[in-house]
Each structure stands twice: as C-alpha cells, then as structure tokens.
Amino acid sequence: MDETLSRKGILGKIFVSMLYISAFTFGGGFVIVTFMRKKFVDELHWIDEEEMLDMIALAQSCPGAMAINTANLLGWRMAGFWGMLVSVLGTAIPPVTIITILSFFYDAFSANPWVALALKGMQAGVAAVFLDVVFSMGGNLVKGKSLLNWCILGAAFLATFVFGVNVIYIILGAALLGAVRPLWQKRREGAA
Amino acid sequence: MIYLQLLLSFLQVGLFSIGGGYAALPLIQNQVVELHQWITMSEFTDLIAIAEMTPGPIAINAATFVGIRVGGVLGGLVGTLGFLFPSLVIVSVMGFVYFRYKGLTILQSILSSLRPAVVALIAGAGLSILLQVLFAGGPMTLEGLNWVGGLLFCLAFGVLRKFKCNPILVMLLCGSLSLLAGLIGLPA
C-alpha cells in the first residue's frame, strides 16, 4: 500500500477509480472486474494478483452483482469498512444515475411509433442474448458429464417454465442439494 | 405501501441472485411481472435491452428502472438499495471468513449445484421473452405469429453463436433492421 497517501487520499482514490471504471465499462461483470484488476493490481499495486483471483472467485460465489461484490471485497482489503462503502458507492452511482435519466426518456419516447418499432426489434435481440447465455453456460455443464447436474437442470426448467414455481424455491432447492452433496459423495466413497 | 413492497421484493432478488448477472433476471421477472404485475412482459424486455446497452451491472440497472416505474426516483433508490443490501452483508461476512480461514469447499459445492438450476432459469426467462416477441402475449397461432420478429431472433442468435460478437451490437442491429422493415411496410 502507498504510504505517502493519507487515509482520506486512499478513500478518495478508491471512490474516483470505481466511479470511473463503472461509468465507462460496457458489458458484463467480468469486463468491469478486469478493469478493476488492471487499476488496483497492475497500476497501483495495492492488491497482489493471487488475492485478486481469490476475491473474484468469492465475489462470484455470493449473491448479488459480481462487480459490486468485487468492489466490496477490494474496498475492505484496501481501507476497511469505509473503504468498502466508498468502493461500492462508486461502483453503483454511475449505473443508477444513467438509468434514472434514461427511464424518463423511455416514458417520453416509447409512445413514439418509430422508437416502439426499434425497441420491438431489440426484444428479438434480447431473446437471442438470453439463449446464447444458456448455450454458453450449458456447454460447460455438458463437459462435466454429471448426471445429477442434468437432473437439476431438467427439474428446474420444468418447475419454472411449465409449473410456474417461485424462482426462490428452485434456487433454495438446488443450494440445499449442493450443501448435502459432499456428504453423500463421501459416504459412497466409504462404501466402495 | 409501495416502497415497502419494492424493498421486500428487491431484498429477495438480491438475496437469491447467485451465479452471474443474468441470474437476477428470472427473479426480477418473477417478482415484478408475475407476482406484483408492476410492469408488463414487453416493458420488462425493453428494460433488459436498455440495461444491456448502458454501463453497470444489469441487475442494478433493472432494479433502478423498475423502482422508478413503480415509485418514481425514490422508488428507484429503494429498489436498488434493496437489491444491494443482502450482498453487502453476505460478501462482507464471507470475505472476513475467507481471508481468515481460506476454506470454500461447501460454498463451491453449493455453487456447482446451483449452476444448472441457474441455466434452466435463464432458459425459462429467455423462452418467455421469445414467446413475447413471436406472439405478443396473444394465442400461439400461425396467423398471430410475428414473422419479422422471428427472423430477427434467428439472425441475432446465429450471429451471436457463430461470431461471439458484442450483444450491444446485435441489439442495435435488430433495432435498425426492425425500423427498416417498418419503413418498407412489413407488418411488425
């Protein structure tokens, strides 16, 4: 950590860096996290490479948005509780501001027939992006060749799309299964 | 008490959206389109298009947008804070535990079982959106089918799979082609 900076200076630097990265990074969480790594590992050397990888893995495993979670962990590591707070705020403020402004434009413009037509075309694009994500994420599952994973996938799909089960119950069910899975595997290894 | 309802809804979304940005979207759809009917499926799909084309995590964008539509700027703040709060607490605690004890086995096991479920949920949300595009919420008949939308979907999906290009570009392409189709008088 840079000794020449005061505590306030560090907090300010974290806030401004996050604000800047979040405002100008388009694309998913991984893109934002890559820029965070560049800033705090490569440029400022406040975090070492291995720690950064651990933080990314942890951020992915927790609920919520990955970029926010990574900002949270980085903030704690660099400057404790207040570091976490300014880091998360810096990451959240740009999207919230931009969407607030855009949502007023949406009200004004979505009644316009040409804007509505363009939006309608984009809806087809949104459907394609969703199914593309499914195939990319699903492709990795196929490589795993786990029967249990396929059962979870099939059951979850039927529950959500055919039976309209509340999504939260599906997530809880899968999480519970994941929690008892190691015990079950251990027992099977013991019997073999 | 619309603000309280918004807060409770997005607290649930924040607590249970595990597994990447898209994982939050089926939860948001479930809460705001199906359970509370705050916005329509069509508005929800517009919202994703907008969220995709602006910087920042897609779930934050969605929480802000829905909150504003339901309860103005204050609603936007309440929705966003509701979404953020569970992860703030959980990540802080997990970070503390992790940097002390460096153990993640149970967490990784939970995650590996969650992943197929998340894929299924995203598939479900994607298919709902596709049905919305093809039949606009009406009955699924050949006469009611939106041909332009169907063709755009096939084109967009093909381009995404084959060239792995940026979703923002694909969406802009779909929007422009849809405008073009309207200009030459094709029914949308």
Side-chain angles (χ1 to χ4, degrees):
Chain A
M1 189 70 81
D2 200 335
E3 301 295 335
T4 56
L5 274 176
S6 69
R7 191 169 159 71
K8 261 190 188 151
I10 292 172
L11 289 179
K13 185 99 191 154
I14 295 173
F15 182 71
V16 172
S17 305
M18 289 304 187
L19 205 65
Y20 182 80
I21 292 170
S22 177
F24 293 104
T25 314
F26 291 80
F30 276 103
V31 187
I32 302 185
V33 168
T34 307
F35 278 94
M36 288 178 183
R37 199 195 68 92
K38 219 178 248 169
K39 183 81 196 173
F40 296 106
V41 179
D42 297 346
E43 216 172 286
L44 295 172
H45 305 291
W46 286 1
I47 297 285
D48 66 51
E49 181 70 53
E50 198 165 328
E51 253 183 332
M52 185 74 206
L53 288 178
D54 282 352
M55 285 185 200
I56 294 174
L58 193 57
Q60 266 186 292
S61 327
C62 288
M66 185 183 165
I68 297 282
N69 293 351
T70 309
N72 180 328
L73 292 168
L74 279 170
W76 273 110
R77 200 68 188 152
M78 294 185 290
F81 175 77
W82 293 105
M84 180 275 281
L85 215 57
V86 296
S87 180
V88 167
L89 277 179
T91 312
I93 285 172
V96 169
T97 313
I98 293 168
I99 290 290
T100 303
I101 295 166
L102 276 181
S103 71
F104 290 107
F105 281 107
Y106 176 80
D107 277 341
F109 286 140
S110 60
N112 177 300
W114 295 109
V115 175
L117 200 60
L119 277 172
K120 210 165 176 193
M122 285 184 196
Q123 293 191 348
V126 171
V129 169
F130 265 72
L131 293 178
D132 179 53
V133 169
V134 169
F135 276 74
S136 307
M137 285 177 81
N140 291 330
L141 286 177
V142 176
K143 278 181 215 142
K145 286 189 185 135
S146 154
L147 185 64
L148 184 59
N149 279 347
W150 279 106
C151 294
I152 296 173
L153 195 143
F157 183 78
L158 285 179
T160 183
F161 198 68
V162 181
F163 300 111
V165 176
N166 190 322
V167 175
I168 291 169
Y169 298 134
I170 302 175
I171 301 254
L172 277 177
L176 204 65
L177 209 61
V180 299
R181 211 166 163 177
L183 300 175
W184 179 61
Q185 272 162 351
K186 217 174 262 170
R187 180 175 293 178
R188 208 170 49 167
E189 276 160 25
Chain B
M1 255 326 277
I2 192 69
Y3 297 116
L4 190 65
Q5 279 187 331
L6 261 176
L7 184 69
L8 288 176
S9 273
F10 278 98
L11 277 173
Q12 293 178 47
V13 173
L15 189 57
F16 291 102
S17 60
I18 315 174
Y22 285 90
L25 295 175
L27 282 156
I28 295 175
Q29 182 203 348
N30 196 213
Q31 286 287 335
V32 306
V33 182
E34 282 151 26
L35 290 180
H36 293 289
Q37 282 146 15
W38 282 324
I39 62 174
T40 65
M41 192 63 200
S42 180
E43 282 177 310
F44 177 72
T45 315
D46 283 350
L47 138 72
I48 298 167
I50 294 169
E52 191 88 46
M53 287 188 294
T54 47
I58 196 160
I60 300 270
N61 293 350
T64 310
F65 187 92
V66 173
I68 288 176
R69 297 207 56 79
V70 177
V73 174
L74 185 59
L77 282 179
V78 169
T80 312
L81 289 178
F83 173 78
L84 283 177
F85 185 72
S87 75
L88 281 191
V89 176
I90 292 171
V91 172
S92 298
V93 172
M94 294 300 293
F96 180 76
V97 172
Y98 177 70
F99 285 109
R100 259 275 141 120
Y101 307 105
K102 300 260 175 191
L104 282 177
T105 335
I106 279 228
L107 201 68
Q108 270 156 359
S109 172
I110 291 178
L111 205 66
S112 71
S113 288
L114 268 177
R115 205 158 287 138
V118 167
V119 171
L121 293 175
I122 297 171
L127 286 179
S128 317
I129 293 171
L130 183 60
L131 289 179
Q132 161 72 31
V133 169
L134 293 180
F135 303 104
M140 286 178 235
T141 58
L142 211 55
E143 294 88 68
L145 181 69
N146 172 3
W147 290 100
V148 177
L151 280 176
L152 279 179
F153 166 77
C154 293
L155 179 76
F157 187 68
V159 167
L160 277 169
R161 289 309 299 164
K162 190 142 176 63
F163 302 111
K164 308 251 170 267
C165 59
N166 190 329
I168 298 173
L169 285 179
V170 174
M171 246 165 306
L172 288 177
L173 179 76
C174 286
S176 330
L177 286 177
S178 175
L179 268 181
L180 203 68
L183 280 174
I184 58 171
L186 285 175

